[in-house]
Amino acid sequence: MHITREHPHAQQGPAEHFTGSVWLDELAAPAPPSRLRMFDVHFAPGAHTAWHRHPHGQVLHVLRGEGRVQRRGGAVETIRAGDTVWIEPDEWHWHGAGPDTFMSHLAVVEAAADGTTIDWGAHVDHHHTTA
């Protein structure tokens, strides 16, 4: 068993993958053979990811605020504190805060055998970000 009391400093989400102010706190990245990765992600109002996908899917659990999530070809869905979202492996999607509220969620992924956790795509058109 390991108890981690010191975590890396929060990292600002780079503009090439995020729109608006987004901060990521890495909570867990255990040594191999584990491939678990867990982040606490903080979105300012209107901030969101670019389109992306994960080789083994992703779990989002909303901690605070209200946000939006959309899978490619689907409707924009509103998510709120307490909601948990399962995103299928290799499913293109984006997620972020609603237009008038901050939103924080836990993001849990499993890395692929080569260590990759994400494949980034294009930025989301702004007309797609409202529910």
Side-chain angles (χ1 to χ4, degrees):
M1 177 188 310
H2 294 93
I3 298 172
T4 304
R5 292 187 171 91
E6 301 273 334
H7 297 280
H9 293 292
Q11 299 283 324
Q12 188 164 18
E16 64 194 277
H17 303 309
F18 297 91
T19 297
S21 181
V22 180
W23 289 84
L24 300 94
D25 289 309
E26 182 181 84
L27 300 178
S34 176
R35 294 190 287 174
L36 174 75
R37 304 294 180 267
M38 184 168 65
F39 298 87
D40 188 357
V41 187
H42 311 271
F43 295 87
H48 54 84
T49 69
W51 288 101
H52 63 285
R53 61 186 177 175
H54 306 276
H56 295 291
Q58 181 179 47
V59 173
L60 304 176
H61 180 76
V62 182
L63 299 171
R64 289 172 290 286
E66 180 178 289
R68 305 288 186 266
V69 64
Q70 181 183 26
R71 64 181 175 182
R72 185 158 285 159
V76 175
E77 302 281 345
T78 299
I79 52 177
R80 295 178 179 84
D83 290 351
T84 301
V85 180
W86 164 244
I87 297 156
E88 297 285 339
D90 289 321
E91 182 173 57
W92 286 99
H93 67 286
W94 65 267
H95 42 94
D100 302 315
T101 181
F102 287 85
M103 190 269 291
S104 294
H105 65 52
L106 293 177
V108 181
V109 296
E110 178 184 354
D114 66 2
T116 59
T117 59
I118 194 164
D119 179 21
W120 288 102
H123 279 277
V124 177
D125 290 334
H126 286 289
H127 72 275
H128 282 107
T129 61
T130 55

